[in-house]
Amino acid sequence: MHGYAGRVLHVDLTTGKTHVEPLNVEYAKKYIGGIGLGMRLLLDYSKPGVDPFSPENPLILTTGPISGTVWPTGGNGHAFVSKSPQSFGVGESKSHGSFGTELKRAGYDAVIFTGKSEKPVYLWIDDDTVQLRDAKHLMGKSPSETEDMIREELGDYYIRVAAIGPAGEKLVRLACIINDKTRAAGRTGMGAVMGSKKLKAIAVRGTHDVTVAKPDEFLEFVKEFHERMKGPATQKYRTLGTPLNVLVHNKIACLPTRNYNNASFEAAEKVSGEYLNEHYVAKIIGCSSCAMRCEHMCVVPEGPYKGAMSRVEYEPLWAMAPYCGIDRLDAVIKGMELCNHYGIDAIGAGVIVAFAMDCYENGILTKEDLDGVEARFGNHEALIQLIEKMGKREGIGDLLAEGVKVAAEKIGKGAEKFAQHIKGVEVTGYDLRTLKTAALGFAVSFRGADHNRHGAYGFDVTWGKEGNPKRFIAEKGRGKMVKDREDLYTVIDSLIICKFSRGTYYNGFEDIAKLYRLVTGFEVTAEDMRRSGERINNVARLFNVREGLSRKDDTLPYKVMHHPVPDEGPSKGAYVSQEELDLLLDDYYEARGWTKDGIPTIEKLKELEMDDLIHIVENKLKKAGKPREE
Amino acid sequence: MVKIHERKFVAADPEKCVGCQVCEYICSMTKEGVFNPLKSRIRVVRINQLINLAVTCRLCEDAPCVAACPRKALTQSEENGVILVDEDKCDGCGWCIEACDYGAIMLHPDTKKVFVCDLCQELGEPQCVKWCPEEALDLVTADTLAQKARITAVKKLFQEALKTTPVT
């Protein structure tokens, strides 16, 4: 096989036994790799209704067919898939760096972890030799320290490691899995699932060759993309980086500020990408095989946070700065460093701190509840203290470590109204009151609140920059727009290529199909790839339907629907009404060919050649009183 | 024997190198038809994220690797200073690897013989230089390296001067 390694590694953590099985080629062709393959395997290897922390919930690690090649931005990706301890639906998260490429060279398209180890262990994959090793000495260590210690212990500097930090060990629900020191599979709590299995780290050394079906044409195509990546489509990532968004979003008032109390931030300049680059960016580095390089490594040169170092992107910056009302980037870099240390999703962490601040300012949490932390909006010391507490599950941190949804339920007293999440996953940096295509995308996202499942904010922000009021309007047609983007994004995450490079695929699915053909030798068309994207969205939906999620869960946070933007300016008064949400959902489900409850129909599943999964919806469709198709 | 002043080798600019490993992939594909950094003649080192540099053979004068070989398997090209490996003589003992200060000569994972950068002579130019997306790699002599360093230093000085001296 070309592109694919052709093998899947099974690791039973309960018995400590491992074995290798051939890759199901039909799955590879239908679900590509990455999250697509991972979610299809998840349906096979999990039973409905199990707790995400139960040994019966598998954790699946995948690479994509492009991993291990020199494809720009695509040669290095990997993904984790499991049932999420935040959404209780499908969880998935990708990361780049150099871990995925190493796993491919070790000869695996996927690793399926089942069961639970009695003692802390780490998995050492040395090509064909696989062993579970004692990880007692690694407990409490950060992912970065774990990486160094494993390299030292095994005596090889080029070993790649993906590890959880103390937060994952303690089942912080939004714990992530970090590789290459600063690269996180951040969202949906995959690190907590890993922690529940007492699996501290996965270390890989791969020495096998990776080949592509048509090397000469492939290299020609790579060369073309190297040129494209020097062009306008990637300029943002190469220069200021994603923090460029701060001022753009602030200008059109779609920058959620102080836990959605505002949609613009008076101190935006001080936390902008421009300010960051001038004062803190020490070096921009690249992932393995990337021709763009985007990773803005920031170092704090002076002051109380001197020496703090982290990669900085817009989302975590937004979560810790405007969203907490904090106007200093040195504290934000420190906050991110701490998230990397403990292994917590830095977006979620910022949102949780803002939630605590809002609760504090509204008298729902007292200073005493907060262990003496003065959790006012804008207090950078509170940000640092609360992240520390969350990472250790210490004091109030134990409650906050549950994520805003569960924490709010436990607090009661109306705290739910301050918990900005969708399906239990914390919101990200786009004010959904003012971006209604994005609002739909976020509401239906199968992994909960997220911009990366659809990128639908792109339409709205462009309109916003043009002064076009369409972004405030909920209307028919948005469903199809979201669906089309989702179908593209699932393919991107299954190949796996980096979303920052999406603009270089000038010919969309045509380019993607060509890439897949040249790598794998499988004769596919652009339409085949699009259908794979649609199929992967359906397989994700099927998992969620199986776990009991439905239309009621495709909703928006309380404030988005009940707290109109108060700020003077373009977004004043904007919010999403129930009527608007219903209109958008109906339009989306129709575009998807799903029922009004958001359940894939038998017809749709047959059309997508997913007959083997029809059994999941049969009962649900009967219960809903729908006539059986055929 | 080519004079040391004229000897050209591949060097990475530490200011520009981002540690992306494109050079490694291109080298292994050019030389072996596969993607495998272990078969690359140029290797990237990343330390603490901030320090990134690709390293390959410097074509030393009186190359220590050649001197160290107990089987006379290594010679240095009269024409351009490239290290030539006689695979029939090399038994992979590793003395040359130990002698090299740069880790530039390595044991091949399949052939078990040593291998080292040959500047892609058959293709006319080193492919890593051609492909480097950051233009961090260059084919240089010791003299051009010194020139580049000098110019960079002066430019930096001048930039600092411009910052502190108001232009009226």
Side-chain angles (χ1 to χ4, degrees):
Chain A
M1 280 183 102
H2 295 289
Y4 295 100
R7 304 194 309 167
V8 176
L9 174 63
H10 292 253
V11 180
D12 183 336
L13 291 158
T14 305
T15 62
K17 289 194 171 143
T18 65
H19 71 279
V20 174
E21 283 181 20
L23 172 70
N24 179 331
V25 177
E26 198 200 328
Y27 280 9
K29 286 185 172 171
K30 285 167 87 170
Y31 298 95
I32 306 176
I35 67 166
L37 176 65
M39 294 192 296
R40 183 62 191 86
L41 290 170
L42 180 65
L43 276 172
D44 280 353
Y45 286 89
S46 66
K47 280 185 268 178
V50 300
D51 187 83
F53 293 150
S54 144
E56 289 180 286
N57 182 30
L59 175 68
I60 298 172
L61 162 63
T62 55
T63 58
I66 315 300
S67 306
T69 73
V70 75
W71 186 253
T73 83
N76 51 58
H78 67 277
F80 285 97
V81 176
S82 187
K83 182 172 177 177
S84 164
Q86 290 199 282
S87 71
F88 290 75
V90 70
E92 51 85 4
S93 203
K94 286 84 40 200
S95 179
H96 292 257
S98 45
F99 180 79
T101 175
E102 202 73 32
L103 184 62
K104 173 63 74 63
R105 278 197 297 280
Y108 307 100
D109 298 301
V111 183
I112 302 175
F113 295 97
T114 51
K116 175 185 175 174
S117 174
E118 214 169 286
K119 292 179 198 156
V121 289
Y122 76 90
L123 182 71
W124 166 221
I125 302 173
D126 185 8
D127 284 338
D128 294 334
T129 311
V130 176
Q131 62 179 151
L132 287 164
R133 294 173 63 99
D134 181 32
K136 201 167 63 195
H137 58 301
L138 301 172
M139 296 308 276
K141 302 292 179 195
S142 72
S144 173
E145 289 162 345
T146 303
E147 180 176 313
D148 290 342
M149 287 171 75
I150 289 177
R151 283 175 169 181
E152 181 82 10
E153 176 175 321
L154 299 175
D156 189 339
Y157 176 80
Y158 287 93
I159 288 170
R160 308 296 181 181
V161 177
I164 56 170
E169 293 169 23
K170 291 180 188 297
L171 311 189
V172 172
R173 282 192 189 270
L174 59 155
C176 60
I177 304 168
I178 294 186
N179 58 286
D180 295 276
K181 303 204 178 245
T182 57
R183 313 289 312 201
R187 308 230 75 207
T188 70
M190 296 297 96
V193 174
M194 191 159 151
S196 76
K197 301 196 169 307
K198 292 215 185 308
L199 178 65
K200 175 67 182 173
I202 304 155
V204 192
R205 181 76 170 124
T207 69
H208 299 306
D209 299 335
V210 173
T211 59
V212 297
K214 293 175 181 155
D216 293 342
E217 288 167 71
F218 178 73
L219 280 181
E220 278 300 306
F221 208 34
V222 171
K223 194 80 198 158
E224 188 179 335
F225 269 72
H226 275 203
E227 287 309 312
R228 291 187 193 183
M229 282 176 183
K230 290 174 188 160
T234 61
Q235 192 185 11
K236 166 178 172 180
Y237 306 104
R238 288 183 284 113
T239 54
L240 291 182
T242 51
L244 172 137
N245 291 355
V246 173
L247 292 185
V248 175
H249 290 183
N250 193 54
K251 193 172 174 195
I252 61 170
C254 68
L255 182 73
T257 299
R258 287 177 286 265
N259 201 36
Y260 262 85
N261 286 339
N262 299 94
S264 54
F265 187 39
E266 62 286 351
E269 295 276 351
K270 282 182 74 183
V271 297
S272 63
E274 289 77 355
Y275 196 94
L276 181 81
N277 277 268
E278 177 147 3
H279 294 87
Y280 299 106
V281 174
K283 172 93 183 165
I284 303 176
I285 61 174
C287 292
S288 178
S289 85
C290 183
M292 281 168 58
R293 98 277 184 286
C294 68
E295 193 171 345
H296 289 58
M297 291 301 305
C298 297
V299 179
V300 177
E302 59 193 3
Y305 303 115
K306 185 177 173 175
M309 180 169 104
S310 176
R311 169 196 180 203
V312 177
E313 293 295 341
Y314 167 70
E315 295 292 341
L317 183 157
W318 155 80
M320 294 186 194
Y323 204 62
C324 291
I326 290 170
D327 66 356
R328 41 191 295 182
L329 285 173
D330 57 346
V332 168
I333 294 167
K334 181 66 188 178
M336 289 183 201
E337 186 187 67
L338 285 174
C339 286
N340 287 343
H341 176 86
Y342 289 108
I344 316 176
D345 169 27
I347 304 174
V351 173
I352 291 167
V353 170
F355 160 78
M357 287 173 163
D358 215 0
C359 286
Y360 176 68
E361 295 210 344
N362 282 282
I364 291 171
L365 287 175
T366 64
K367 198 168 167 177
E368 204 176 19
D369 293 332
L370 291 160
D371 311 324
V373 176
E374 184 80 50
R376 282 177 294 101
F377 280 120
N379 182 0
H380 62 94
E381 285 168 350
L383 169 75
I384 302 304
Q385 288 163 342
L386 292 177
I387 293 175
E388 292 260 19
K389 285 176 180 294
M390 219 187 305
K392 295 179 191 160
R393 267 194 183 268
E394 172 193 287
I396 186 70
D398 192 36
L399 179 70
L400 299 179
E402 296 290 294
V404 291
K405 178 173 185 268
V406 178
E409 283 164 8
K410 288 189 177 173
I411 294 167
K413 305 179 205 170
E416 289 91 343
K417 291 179 181 174
F418 300 99
Q420 296 293 100
H421 69 86
I422 298 168
K423 300 184 179 78
V425 178
E426 286 77 16
V427 291
T428 67
Y430 299 86
D431 196 309
L432 303 178
R433 297 170 294 195
T434 74
L435 308 167
K436 290 191 178 163
T437 324
L440 173 60
F442 272 66
V444 297
S445 154
F446 56 73
R447 72 168 182 179
D450 204 78
H451 53 290
N452 264 334
R453 287 271 40 89
H454 47 80
Y457 57 86
F459 303 112
D460 299 315
V461 171
T462 303
W463 288 328
K465 286 195 273 194
E466 293 164 355
N468 185 335
K470 280 184 86 167
R471 68 181 170 117
F472 299 113
I473 298 166
E475 61 183 355
K476 280 200 157 216
R478 301 293 171 94
K480 171 91 168 48
M481 289 163 76
V482 169
K483 171 192 177 284
D484 287 349
R485 280 297 180 92
E486 283 183 327
D487 291 349
L488 174 64
Y489 274 37
T490 43
V491 172
I492 288 177
D493 288 344
S494 299
L495 275 169
I496 303 166
I497 49 183
C498 168
K499 293 218 180 73
F500 289 179
S501 69
R502 65 188 184 276
T504 59
Y505 293 77
Y506 300 155
N507 308 309
F509 282 115
E510 290 290 348
D511 283 341
I512 287 172
K514 181 176 173 184
L515 167 62
Y516 192 66
R517 282 196 302 269
L518 295 178
V519 170
T520 64
F522 297 155
E523 282 308 316
V524 294
T525 63
E527 173 58 16
D528 293 333
M529 295 308 283
R530 191 206 59 74
R531 271 162 57 85
S532 289
E534 186 176 2
R535 189 178 296 122
I536 294 164
N537 274 296
N538 276 270
V539 89
R541 190 75 181 188
L542 286 177
F543 184 87
N544 284 352
V545 166
R546 196 189 79 173
E547 300 304 315
L549 275 67
S550 64
R551 180 177 181 125
K552 69 182 185 323
D553 302 288
D554 291 344
T555 186
L556 293 165
Y558 182 85
K559 284 194 183 183
V560 173
M561 300 186 68
H562 298 92
H563 184 91
V565 174
D567 312 29
E568 291 303 328
S571 298
K572 189 174 168 71
Y575 76 109
V576 183
S577 68
Q578 186 63 50
E579 203 180 5
E580 285 177 315
L581 177 62
D582 284 336
L583 181 150
L584 290 168
L585 289 181
D586 287 343
D587 188 46
Y588 172 80
Y589 296 151
E590 197 186 324
R592 277 250 168 257
W594 295 349
T595 69
K596 287 236 169 204
D597 292 323
I599 295 170
T601 59
I602 291 170
E603 274 169 329
K604 177 51 82 177
L605 296 179
K606 285 194 168 169
E607 180 198 319
L608 294 171
E609 299 158 279
M610 299 171 74
D611 302 60
D612 53 329
L613 296 172
I614 285 173
H615 63 93
I616 295 173
V617 294
E618 266 173 337
N619 279 334
K620 308 264 178 188
L621 292 171
K622 268 187 222 158
K623 269 185 213 161
K626 300 275 169 201
R628 281 275 308 277
E629 280 90 341
E630 296 181 359
Chain B
M1 172 75 74
V2 61
K3 295 279 190 314
I4 189 154
H5 284 279
E6 287 143 33
R7 197 171 291 158
K8 287 184 174 172
F9 55 93
V10 175
D13 183 337
E15 297 278 327
K16 291 184 182 166
C17 181
V18 298
C20 70
Q21 299 177 285
V22 167
C23 52
E24 293 183 359
Y25 287 102
I26 289 300
C27 182
S28 71
M29 182 45 95
T30 304
K31 292 294 182 187
E32 325 242 350
V34 296
F35 293 118
N36 190 344
L38 283 173
K39 295 180 180 173
S40 168
R41 281 104 178 120
I42 183 167
R43 297 291 172 90
V44 174
V45 177
R46 171 175 288 176
I47 295 167
N48 197 23
Q49 313 309 96
L50 297 177
I51 301 166
N52 297 270
L53 201 67
V55 181
T56 188
C57 180
R58 313 281 290 187
L59 316 191
C60 312
E61 187 160 42
D62 296 329
C65 55
V66 175
C69 180
R71 305 172 73 88
K72 304 217 178 316
L74 300 182
T75 49
Q76 192 159 20
S77 157
E78 289 285 331
E79 191 192 334
N80 59 11
V82 159
I83 307 297
L84 304 166
V85 183
D86 184 337
E87 293 210 352
D88 292 335
K89 289 186 184 165
C90 175
D91 70 347
C93 70
W95 279 104
C96 57
I97 297 172
E98 205 174 329
C100 177
D101 284 342
Y102 308 102
I105 191 161
M106 294 158 286
L107 198 59
H108 194 283
D110 294 344
T111 66
K112 315 297 180 200
K113 315 280 181 184
V114 296
F115 68 123
V116 65
C117 173
D118 68 356
L119 304 176
C120 298
Q121 291 176 86
E122 72 284 9
L123 294 166
E125 62 175 320
Q127 296 301 294
C128 55
V129 174
K130 185 178 153 193
W131 279 81
C132 176
E134 297 298 320
E135 296 175 8
L137 294 177
D138 214 348
L139 192 58
V140 296
T141 64
D143 291 339
T144 50
L145 264 188
Q147 273 185 23
K148 272 172 72 177
R150 220 175 284 138
I151 292 166
T152 309
V154 172
K155 270 187 186 165
K156 265 189 186 167
L157 266 176
F158 199 57
Q159 272 169 2
E160 287 305 310
L162 277 178
K163 268 186 197 165
T164 49
T165 315
V167 183
T168 48

